[in-house]
Amino acid sequence: MVLALLRKAIWAPGRYALVAGFVDNGESLEGCVAREVKEEVGVDVKDIQYVGSQNWPFPSQIMIGFVASYAGGEITIDREELEDARWFPSDAMPVGPARHSIAGWIIRNFAANGGM
């Protein structure tokens, strides 16, 4: 099992995270996941499943976590926005988000269980 992670150039060296974005008006959360993953890393996803949520440190915002299965495509990125994106096996996770974040929990759970 592998997990697609990305990194921005402004982040600490070697730090990777999950795709994140904002839901558009009239868009379902699952539709947002599929769109953001396609926009950020160029791959299609399916079997999108809700994992959990947490407060976000900006007023009136919430972080909602999902997992999904790969449905096709090759990882491609916009170098203006991202420095890198790649597949990581569960036994070789890079430095990730803080442990108290939902993204950090998803990544750690993936690594500990050999996949979701």
Side-chain angles (χ1 to χ4, degrees), residues 44-79:
D44 296 309
V45 294
K46 63 182 181 181
D47 304 325
I48 299 166
Q49 297 176 36
Y50 171 79
V51 173
S53 63
Q54 74 173 101
N55 65 325
W56 190 239
F58 299 106
S60 304
Q61 294 187 16
I62 187 170
M63 181 68 74
I64 303 171
F66 290 85
V67 295
S69 299
Y70 172 79
E74 297 291 324
I75 290 182
T76 56
I77 60 168
D78 177 354
R79 294 276 176 196

PDB file of all heavy atoms in Angstrom, residues 44-79:
ATOM      1  N   ASP A  44      -6.910  10.621 -10.079  1.00  0.00           N
ATOM      2  CA  ASP A  44      -8.327  10.445  -9.773  1.00  0.00           C
ATOM      3  C   ASP A  44      -8.464   9.527  -8.570  1.00  0.00           C
ATOM      4  O   ASP A  44      -7.646   8.609  -8.388  1.00  0.00           O
ATOM      5  CB  ASP A  44      -9.053   9.825 -10.971  1.00  0.00           C
ATOM      6  CG  ASP A  44      -9.037  10.744 -12.178  1.00  0.00           C
ATOM      7  OD1 ASP A  44      -9.411  11.923 -12.033  1.00  0.00           O
ATOM      8  OD2 ASP A  44      -8.634  10.290 -13.272  1.00  0.00           O
ATOM      9  N   VAL A  45      -9.497   9.764  -7.759  1.00  0.00           N
ATOM     10  CA  VAL A  45      -9.760   8.925  -6.599  1.00  0.00           C
ATOM     11  C   VAL A  45     -11.197   8.432  -6.616  1.00  0.00           C
ATOM     12  O   VAL A  45     -12.061   9.009  -7.276  1.00  0.00           O
ATOM     13  CB  VAL A  45      -9.466   9.660  -5.265  1.00  0.00           C
ATOM     14  CG1 VAL A  45      -7.977   9.950  -5.133  1.00  0.00           C
ATOM     15  CG2 VAL A  45     -10.267  10.927  -5.130  1.00  0.00           C
ATOM     16  N   LYS A  46     -11.445   7.347  -5.871  1.00  0.00           N
ATOM     17  CA  LYS A  46     -12.780   6.761  -5.735  1.00  0.00           C
ATOM     18  C   LYS A  46     -12.922   6.247  -4.315  1.00  0.00           C
ATOM     19  O   LYS A  46     -11.972   6.309  -3.520  1.00  0.00           O
ATOM     20  CB  LYS A  46     -12.973   5.630  -6.747  1.00  0.00           C
ATOM     21  CG  LYS A  46     -12.014   4.465  -6.525  1.00  0.00           C
ATOM     22  CD  LYS A  46     -12.180   3.378  -7.559  1.00  0.00           C
ATOM     23  CE  LYS A  46     -11.189   2.242  -7.254  1.00  0.00           C
ATOM     24  NZ  LYS A  46     -11.286   1.171  -8.222  1.00  0.00           N
ATOM     25  N   ASP A  47     -14.083   5.733  -3.994  1.00  0.00           N
ATOM     26  CA  ASP A  47     -14.340   5.168  -2.659  1.00  0.00           C
ATOM     27  C   ASP A  47     -13.953   6.147  -1.555  1.00  0.00           C
ATOM     28  O   ASP A  47     -13.268   5.792  -0.590  1.00  0.00           O
ATOM     29  CB  ASP A  47     -13.594   3.840  -2.455  1.00  0.00           C
ATOM     30  CG  ASP A  47     -13.919   2.811  -3.516  1.00  0.00           C
ATOM     31  OD1 ASP A  47     -15.084   2.786  -3.974  1.00  0.00           O
ATOM     32  OD2 ASP A  47     -13.022   2.039  -3.900  1.00  0.00           O
ATOM     33  N   ILE A  48     -14.374   7.388  -1.694  1.00  0.00           N
ATOM     34  CA  ILE A  48     -14.039   8.452  -0.749  1.00  0.00           C
ATOM     35  C   ILE A  48     -14.807   8.222   0.548  1.00  0.00           C
ATOM     36  O   ILE A  48     -16.019   8.087   0.533  1.00  0.00           O
ATOM     37  CB  ILE A  48     -14.356   9.826  -1.369  1.00  0.00           C
ATOM     38  CG1 ILE A  48     -13.521  10.018  -2.633  1.00  0.00           C
ATOM     39  CG2 ILE A  48     -14.132  10.949  -0.367  1.00  0.00           C
ATOM     40  CD1 ILE A  48     -13.983  11.164  -3.518  1.00  0.00           C
ATOM     41  N   GLN A  49     -14.071   8.156   1.675  1.00  0.00           N
ATOM     42  CA  GLN A  49     -14.686   7.865   2.965  1.00  0.00           C
ATOM     43  C   GLN A  49     -14.290   8.916   4.002  1.00  0.00           C
ATOM     44  O   GLN A  49     -13.110   9.234   4.147  1.00  0.00           O
ATOM     45  CB  GLN A  49     -14.241   6.493   3.463  1.00  0.00           C
ATOM     46  CG  GLN A  49     -14.666   5.358   2.573  1.00  0.00           C
ATOM     47  CD  GLN A  49     -14.112   4.040   3.080  1.00  0.00           C
ATOM     48  OE1 GLN A  49     -14.003   3.811   4.289  1.00  0.00           O
ATOM     49  NE2 GLN A  49     -13.752   3.160   2.170  1.00  0.00           N
ATOM     50  N   TYR A  50     -15.278   9.379   4.732  1.00  0.00           N
ATOM     51  CA  TYR A  50     -15.064  10.340   5.819  1.00  0.00           C
ATOM     52  C   TYR A  50     -14.301   9.673   6.950  1.00  0.00           C
ATOM     53  O   TYR A  50     -14.574   8.535   7.314  1.00  0.00           O
ATOM     54  CB  TYR A  50     -16.432  10.830   6.319  1.00  0.00           C
ATOM     55  CG  TYR A  50     -16.379  11.658   7.578  1.00  0.00           C
ATOM     56  CD1 TYR A  50     -16.025  12.995   7.537  1.00  0.00           C
ATOM     57  CD2 TYR A  50     -16.702  11.082   8.806  1.00  0.00           C
ATOM     58  CE1 TYR A  50     -15.985  13.757   8.695  1.00  0.00           C
ATOM     59  CE2 TYR A  50     -16.670  11.836   9.968  1.00  0.00           C
ATOM     60  CZ  TYR A  50     -16.308  13.173   9.907  1.00  0.00           C
ATOM     61  OH  TYR A  50     -16.269  13.925  11.058  1.00  0.00           O
ATOM     62  N   VAL A  51     -13.324  10.377   7.534  1.00  0.00           N
ATOM     63  CA  VAL A  51     -12.536   9.861   8.652  1.00  0.00           C
ATOM     64  C   VAL A  51     -12.850  10.604   9.942  1.00  0.00           C
ATOM     65  O   VAL A  51     -13.018  10.002  10.989  1.00  0.00           O
ATOM     66  CB  VAL A  51     -11.023   9.950   8.351  1.00  0.00           C
ATOM     67  CG1 VAL A  51     -10.195   9.571   9.564  1.00  0.00           C
ATOM     68  CG2 VAL A  51     -10.657   9.078   7.167  1.00  0.00           C
ATOM     69  N   GLY A  52     -12.909  11.925   9.882  1.00  0.00           N
ATOM     70  CA  GLY A  52     -13.149  12.708  11.081  1.00  0.00           C
ATOM     71  C   GLY A  52     -12.954  14.186  10.814  1.00  0.00           C
ATOM     72  O   GLY A  52     -12.707  14.597   9.687  1.00  0.00           O
ATOM     73  N   SER A  53     -13.068  14.982  11.887  1.00  0.00           N
ATOM     74  CA  SER A  53     -12.923  16.427  11.733  1.00  0.00           C
ATOM     75  C   SER A  53     -12.220  17.011  12.955  1.00  0.00           C
ATOM     76  O   SER A  53     -12.078  16.345  13.974  1.00  0.00           O
ATOM     77  CB  SER A  53     -14.292  17.085  11.556  1.00  0.00           C
ATOM     78  OG  SER A  53     -15.089  16.884  12.708  1.00  0.00           O
ATOM     79  N   GLN A  54     -11.781  18.245  12.813  1.00  0.00           N
ATOM     80  CA  GLN A  54     -11.169  18.968  13.922  1.00  0.00           C
ATOM     81  C   GLN A  54     -11.343  20.464  13.679  1.00  0.00           C
ATOM     82  O   GLN A  54     -11.584  20.899  12.552  1.00  0.00           O
ATOM     83  CB  GLN A  54      -9.688  18.630  14.057  1.00  0.00           C
ATOM     84  CG  GLN A  54      -8.825  19.264  12.981  1.00  0.00           C
ATOM     85  CD  GLN A  54      -7.355  19.065  13.205  1.00  0.00           C
ATOM     86  OE1 GLN A  54      -6.768  18.207  12.581  1.00  0.00           O
ATOM     87  NE2 GLN A  54      -6.762  19.857  14.074  1.00  0.00           N
ATOM     88  N   ASN A  55     -11.228  21.221  14.750  1.00  0.00           N
ATOM     89  CA  ASN A  55     -11.275  22.664  14.572  1.00  0.00           C
ATOM     90  C   ASN A  55     -10.042  23.101  13.806  1.00  0.00           C
ATOM     91  O   ASN A  55      -9.047  22.393  13.728  1.00  0.00           O
ATOM     92  CB  ASN A  55     -11.369  23.375  15.924  1.00  0.00           C
ATOM     93  CG  ASN A  55     -10.122  23.165  16.761  1.00  0.00           C
ATOM     94  OD1 ASN A  55      -9.511  22.110  16.733  1.00  0.00           O
ATOM     95  ND2 ASN A  55      -9.754  24.172  17.496  1.00  0.00           N
ATOM     96  N   TRP A  56     -10.088  24.266  13.223  1.00  0.00           N
ATOM     97  CA  TRP A  56      -8.987  24.812  12.447  1.00  0.00           C
ATOM     98  C   TRP A  56      -8.653  26.172  13.029  1.00  0.00           C
ATOM     99  O   TRP A  56      -9.548  26.888  13.455  1.00  0.00           O
ATOM    100  CB  TRP A  56      -9.417  24.907  10.980  1.00  0.00           C
ATOM    101  CG  TRP A  56      -8.320  25.231  10.026  1.00  0.00           C
ATOM    102  CD1 TRP A  56      -8.274  26.306   9.199  1.00  0.00           C
ATOM    103  CD2 TRP A  56      -7.132  24.487   9.767  1.00  0.00           C
ATOM    104  NE1 TRP A  56      -7.127  26.278   8.447  1.00  0.00           N
ATOM    105  CE2 TRP A  56      -6.396  25.171   8.782  1.00  0.00           C
ATOM    106  CE3 TRP A  56      -6.600  23.312  10.299  1.00  0.00           C
ATOM    107  CZ2 TRP A  56      -5.174  24.727   8.309  1.00  0.00           C
ATOM    108  CZ3 TRP A  56      -5.376  22.869   9.813  1.00  0.00           C
ATOM    109  CH2 TRP A  56      -4.689  23.569   8.826  1.00  0.00           C
ATOM    110  N   PRO A  57      -7.386  26.559  13.073  1.00  0.00           N
ATOM    111  CA  PRO A  57      -7.010  27.787  13.786  1.00  0.00           C
ATOM    112  C   PRO A  57      -7.343  29.096  13.072  1.00  0.00           C
ATOM    113  O   PRO A  57      -6.693  30.090  13.287  1.00  0.00           O
ATOM    114  CB  PRO A  57      -5.499  27.620  13.968  1.00  0.00           C
ATOM    115  CG  PRO A  57      -5.083  26.784  12.820  1.00  0.00           C
ATOM    116  CD  PRO A  57      -6.221  25.832  12.593  1.00  0.00           C
ATOM    117  N   PHE A  58      -8.324  29.091  12.235  1.00  0.00           N
ATOM    118  CA  PHE A  58      -8.814  30.314  11.603  1.00  0.00           C
ATOM    119  C   PHE A  58     -10.278  30.463  11.988  1.00  0.00           C
ATOM    120  O   PHE A  58     -10.984  29.467  12.153  1.00  0.00           O
ATOM    121  CB  PHE A  58      -8.660  30.247  10.081  1.00  0.00           C
ATOM    122  CG  PHE A  58      -7.236  30.089   9.637  1.00  0.00           C
ATOM    123  CD1 PHE A  58      -6.782  28.874   9.149  1.00  0.00           C
ATOM    124  CD2 PHE A  58      -6.346  31.145   9.720  1.00  0.00           C
ATOM    125  CE1 PHE A  58      -5.470  28.719   8.734  1.00  0.00           C
ATOM    126  CE2 PHE A  58      -5.027  30.998   9.306  1.00  0.00           C
ATOM    127  CZ  PHE A  58      -4.594  29.781   8.818  1.00  0.00           C
ATOM    128  N   PRO A  59     -10.789  31.654  12.121  1.00  0.00           N
ATOM    129  CA  PRO A  59     -12.186  31.847  12.528  1.00  0.00           C
ATOM    130  C   PRO A  59     -13.178  31.156  11.579  1.00  0.00           C
ATOM    131  O   PRO A  59     -13.015  31.202  10.365  1.00  0.00           O
ATOM    132  CB  PRO A  59     -12.366  33.363  12.476  1.00  0.00           C
ATOM    133  CG  PRO A  59     -10.985  33.925  12.570  1.00  0.00           C
ATOM    134  CD  PRO A  59     -10.082  32.911  11.917  1.00  0.00           C
ATOM    135  N   SER A  60     -14.133  30.481  12.161  1.00  0.00           N
ATOM    136  CA  SER A  60     -15.248  29.873  11.428  1.00  0.00           C
ATOM    137  C   SER A  60     -14.813  28.849  10.395  1.00  0.00           C
ATOM    138  O   SER A  60     -15.435  28.726   9.343  1.00  0.00           O
ATOM    139  CB  SER A  60     -16.094  30.965  10.760  1.00  0.00           C
ATOM    140  OG  SER A  60     -16.542  31.896  11.709  1.00  0.00           O
ATOM    141  N   GLN A  61     -13.771  28.075  10.670  1.00  0.00           N
ATOM    142  CA  GLN A  61     -13.322  27.052   9.735  1.00  0.00           C
ATOM    143  C   GLN A  61     -13.161  25.724  10.454  1.00  0.00           C
ATOM    144  O   GLN A  61     -12.957  25.674  11.663  1.00  0.00           O
ATOM    145  CB  GLN A  61     -12.014  27.465   9.062  1.00  0.00           C
ATOM    146  CG  GLN A  61     -12.184  28.676   8.173  1.00  0.00           C
ATOM    147  CD  GLN A  61     -10.934  28.979   7.380  1.00  0.00           C
ATOM    148  OE1 GLN A  61     -10.042  28.165   7.245  1.00  0.00           O
ATOM    149  NE2 GLN A  61     -10.877  30.178   6.833  1.00  0.00           N
ATOM    150  N   ILE A  62     -13.241  24.642   9.682  1.00  0.00           N
ATOM    151  CA  ILE A  62     -13.092  23.294  10.213  1.00  0.00           C
ATOM    152  C   ILE A  62     -12.302  22.459   9.212  1.00  0.00           C
ATOM    153  O   ILE A  62     -12.408  22.670   8.005  1.00  0.00           O
ATOM    154  CB  ILE A  62     -14.479  22.653  10.489  1.00  0.00           C
ATOM    155  CG1 ILE A  62     -14.344  21.319  11.207  1.00  0.00           C
ATOM    156  CG2 ILE A  62     -15.293  22.510   9.213  1.00  0.00           C
ATOM    157  CD1 ILE A  62     -15.655  20.757  11.721  1.00  0.00           C
ATOM    158  N   MET A  63     -11.490  21.542   9.720  1.00  0.00           N
ATOM    159  CA  MET A  63     -10.754  20.614   8.866  1.00  0.00           C
ATOM    160  C   MET A  63     -11.522  19.302   8.893  1.00  0.00           C
ATOM    161  O   MET A  63     -11.838  18.783   9.973  1.00  0.00           O
ATOM    162  CB  MET A  63      -9.339  20.414   9.401  1.00  0.00           C
ATOM    163  CG  MET A  63      -8.493  19.470   8.564  1.00  0.00           C
ATOM    164  SD  MET A  63      -8.055  20.103   6.942  1.00  0.00           S
ATOM    165  CE  MET A  63      -6.829  21.321   7.378  1.00  0.00           C
ATOM    166  N   ILE A  64     -11.819  18.767   7.711  1.00  0.00           N
ATOM    167  CA  ILE A  64     -12.549  17.512   7.589  1.00  0.00           C
ATOM    168  C   ILE A  64     -11.669  16.531   6.834  1.00  0.00           C
ATOM    169  O   ILE A  64     -11.187  16.843   5.752  1.00  0.00           O
ATOM    170  CB  ILE A  64     -13.892  17.717   6.861  1.00  0.00           C
ATOM    171  CG1 ILE A  64     -14.725  18.771   7.602  1.00  0.00           C
ATOM    172  CG2 ILE A  64     -14.649  16.405   6.746  1.00  0.00           C
ATOM    173  CD1 ILE A  64     -15.969  19.197   6.859  1.00  0.00           C
ATOM    174  N   GLY A  65     -11.423  15.357   7.417  1.00  0.00           N
ATOM    175  CA  GLY A  65     -10.514  14.383   6.826  1.00  0.00           C
ATOM    176  C   GLY A  65     -11.228  13.254   6.103  1.00  0.00           C
ATOM    177  O   GLY A  65     -12.259  12.757   6.567  1.00  0.00           O
ATOM    178  N   PHE A  66     -10.671  12.868   4.975  1.00  0.00           N
ATOM    179  CA  PHE A  66     -11.179  11.771   4.152  1.00  0.00           C
ATOM    180  C   PHE A  66     -10.026  10.889   3.709  1.00  0.00           C
ATOM    181  O   PHE A  66      -8.884  11.341   3.632  1.00  0.00           O
ATOM    182  CB  PHE A  66     -11.868  12.312   2.890  1.00  0.00           C
ATOM    183  CG  PHE A  66     -13.166  13.015   3.138  1.00  0.00           C
ATOM    184  CD1 PHE A  66     -13.183  14.359   3.475  1.00  0.00           C
ATOM    185  CD2 PHE A  66     -14.373  12.349   3.031  1.00  0.00           C
ATOM    186  CE1 PHE A  66     -14.371  15.030   3.705  1.00  0.00           C
ATOM    187  CE2 PHE A  66     -15.574  13.003   3.258  1.00  0.00           C
ATOM    188  CZ  PHE A  66     -15.569  14.341   3.599  1.00  0.00           C
ATOM    189  N   VAL A  67     -10.319   9.653   3.380  1.00  0.00           N
ATOM    190  CA  VAL A  67      -9.388   8.763   2.693  1.00  0.00           C
ATOM    191  C   VAL A  67     -10.086   8.310   1.419  1.00  0.00           C
ATOM    192  O   VAL A  67     -11.316   8.339   1.335  1.00  0.00           O
ATOM    193  CB  VAL A  67      -8.963   7.546   3.559  1.00  0.00           C
ATOM    194  CG1 VAL A  67      -8.160   8.009   4.768  1.00  0.00           C
ATOM    195  CG2 VAL A  67     -10.164   6.720   3.982  1.00  0.00           C
ATOM    196  N   ALA A  68      -9.296   7.897   0.439  1.00  0.00           N
ATOM    197  CA  ALA A  68      -9.860   7.470  -0.844  1.00  0.00           C
ATOM    198  C   ALA A  68      -8.921   6.465  -1.491  1.00  0.00           C
ATOM    199  O   ALA A  68      -7.747   6.364  -1.126  1.00  0.00           O
ATOM    200  CB  ALA A  68     -10.046   8.677  -1.756  1.00  0.00           C
ATOM    201  N   SER A  69      -9.445   5.745  -2.458  1.00  0.00           N
ATOM    202  CA  SER A  69      -8.649   4.789  -3.230  1.00  0.00           C
ATOM    203  C   SER A  69      -8.233   5.420  -4.548  1.00  0.00           C
ATOM    204  O   SER A  69      -8.961   6.226  -5.123  1.00  0.00           O
ATOM    205  CB  SER A  69      -9.471   3.536  -3.531  1.00  0.00           C
ATOM    206  OG  SER A  69      -9.874   2.896  -2.347  1.00  0.00           O
ATOM    207  N   TYR A  70      -7.086   5.011  -5.030  1.00  0.00           N
ATOM    208  CA  TYR A  70      -6.568   5.449  -6.324  1.00  0.00           C
ATOM    209  C   TYR A  70      -7.474   4.937  -7.436  1.00  0.00           C
ATOM    210  O   TYR A  70      -7.857   3.771  -7.451  1.00  0.00           O
ATOM    211  CB  TYR A  70      -5.144   4.910  -6.486  1.00  0.00           C
ATOM    212  CG  TYR A  70      -4.549   5.122  -7.840  1.00  0.00           C
ATOM    213  CD1 TYR A  70      -4.020   6.356  -8.198  1.00  0.00           C
ATOM    214  CD2 TYR A  70      -4.493   4.081  -8.760  1.00  0.00           C
ATOM    215  CE1 TYR A  70      -3.448   6.548  -9.446  1.00  0.00           C
ATOM    216  CE2 TYR A  70      -3.924   4.263 -10.003  1.00  0.00           C
ATOM    217  CZ  TYR A  70      -3.405   5.497 -10.349  1.00  0.00           C
ATOM    218  OH  TYR A  70      -2.839   5.690 -11.586  1.00  0.00           O
ATOM    219  N   ALA A  71      -7.813   5.822  -8.382  1.00  0.00           N
ATOM    220  CA  ALA A  71      -8.675   5.422  -9.493  1.00  0.00           C
ATOM    221  C   ALA A  71      -8.015   5.636 -10.852  1.00  0.00           C
ATOM    222  O   ALA A  71      -8.604   5.304 -11.874  1.00  0.00           O
ATOM    223  CB  ALA A  71      -9.998   6.190  -9.437  1.00  0.00           C
ATOM    224  N   GLY A  72      -6.820   6.210 -10.886  1.00  0.00           N
ATOM    225  CA  GLY A  72      -6.121   6.378 -12.156  1.00  0.00           C
ATOM    226  C   GLY A  72      -5.353   7.674 -12.250  1.00  0.00           C
ATOM    227  O   GLY A  72      -5.549   8.599 -11.462  1.00  0.00           O
ATOM    228  N   GLY A  73      -4.468   7.715 -13.222  1.00  0.00           N
ATOM    229  CA  GLY A  73      -3.681   8.910 -13.494  1.00  0.00           C
ATOM    230  C   GLY A  73      -2.279   8.834 -12.927  1.00  0.00           C
ATOM    231  O   GLY A  73      -1.956   7.953 -12.139  1.00  0.00           O
ATOM    232  N   GLU A  74      -1.456   9.757 -13.381  1.00  0.00           N
ATOM    233  CA  GLU A  74      -0.074   9.874 -12.939  1.00  0.00           C
ATOM    234  C   GLU A  74       0.081  11.135 -12.099  1.00  0.00           C
ATOM    235  O   GLU A  74      -0.554  12.149 -12.388  1.00  0.00           O
ATOM    236  CB  GLU A  74       0.867   9.962 -14.142  1.00  0.00           C
ATOM    237  CG  GLU A  74       0.866   8.728 -15.018  1.00  0.00           C
ATOM    238  CD  GLU A  74       1.497   7.528 -14.337  1.00  0.00           C
ATOM    239  OE1 GLU A  74       2.475   7.716 -13.583  1.00  0.00           O
ATOM    240  OE2 GLU A  74       1.003   6.410 -14.543  1.00  0.00           O
ATOM    241  N   ILE A  75       0.918  11.084 -11.084  1.00  0.00           N
ATOM    242  CA  ILE A  75       1.164  12.276 -10.278  1.00  0.00           C
ATOM    243  C   ILE A  75       1.830  13.340 -11.141  1.00  0.00           C
ATOM    244  O   ILE A  75       2.845  13.078 -11.786  1.00  0.00           O
ATOM    245  CB  ILE A  75       2.040  11.971  -9.050  1.00  0.00           C
ATOM    246  CG1 ILE A  75       1.242  11.136  -8.042  1.00  0.00           C
ATOM    247  CG2 ILE A  75       2.543  13.256  -8.401  1.00  0.00           C
ATOM    248  CD1 ILE A  75       1.995  10.803  -6.766  1.00  0.00           C
ATOM    249  N   THR A  76       1.201  14.504 -11.175  1.00  0.00           N
ATOM    250  CA  THR A  76       1.748  15.678 -11.847  1.00  0.00           C
ATOM    251  C   THR A  76       1.436  16.872 -10.956  1.00  0.00           C
ATOM    252  O   THR A  76       0.382  16.914 -10.323  1.00  0.00           O
ATOM    253  CB  THR A  76       1.136  15.908 -13.238  1.00  0.00           C
ATOM    254  OG1 THR A  76      -0.277  15.996 -13.123  1.00  0.00           O
ATOM    255  CG2 THR A  76       1.493  14.783 -14.196  1.00  0.00           C
ATOM    256  N   ILE A  77       2.351  17.819 -10.888  1.00  0.00           N
ATOM    257  CA  ILE A  77       2.135  18.976 -10.020  1.00  0.00           C
ATOM    258  C   ILE A  77       2.408  20.280 -10.751  1.00  0.00           C
ATOM    259  O   ILE A  77       3.124  20.311 -11.743  1.00  0.00           O
ATOM    260  CB  ILE A  77       3.012  18.906  -8.752  1.00  0.00           C
ATOM    261  CG1 ILE A  77       4.503  18.880  -9.110  1.00  0.00           C
ATOM    262  CG2 ILE A  77       2.641  17.728  -7.883  1.00  0.00           C
ATOM    263  CD1 ILE A  77       5.425  19.094  -7.936  1.00  0.00           C
ATOM    264  N   ASP A  78       1.833  21.336 -10.236  1.00  0.00           N
ATOM    265  CA  ASP A  78       2.106  22.691 -10.684  1.00  0.00           C
ATOM    266  C   ASP A  78       3.287  23.179  -9.861  1.00  0.00           C
ATOM    267  O   ASP A  78       3.161  23.404  -8.656  1.00  0.00           O
ATOM    268  CB  ASP A  78       0.866  23.563 -10.454  1.00  0.00           C
ATOM    269  CG  ASP A  78       1.082  25.014 -10.818  1.00  0.00           C
ATOM    270  OD1 ASP A  78       2.221  25.403 -11.151  1.00  0.00           O
ATOM    271  OD2 ASP A  78       0.099  25.774 -10.769  1.00  0.00           O
ATOM    272  N   ARG A  79       4.438  23.343 -10.479  1.00  0.00           N
ATOM    273  CA  ARG A  79       5.660  23.743  -9.771  1.00  0.00           C
ATOM    274  C   ARG A  79       5.563  25.137  -9.164  1.00  0.00           C
ATOM    275  O   ARG A  79       6.350  25.488  -8.303  1.00  0.00           O
ATOM    276  CB  ARG A  79       6.866  23.669 -10.709  1.00  0.00           C
ATOM    277  CG  ARG A  79       7.191  22.270 -11.142  1.00  0.00           C
ATOM    278  CD  ARG A  79       8.024  21.594 -10.117  1.00  0.00           C
ATOM    279  NE  ARG A  79       8.245  20.192 -10.521  1.00  0.00           N
ATOM    280  CZ  ARG A  79       8.666  19.279  -9.707  1.00  0.00           C
ATOM    281  NH1 ARG A  79       8.924  19.587  -8.463  1.00  0.00           N
ATOM    282  NH2 ARG A  79       8.834  18.065 -10.116  1.00  0.00           N
TER     283      ARG A  79
END
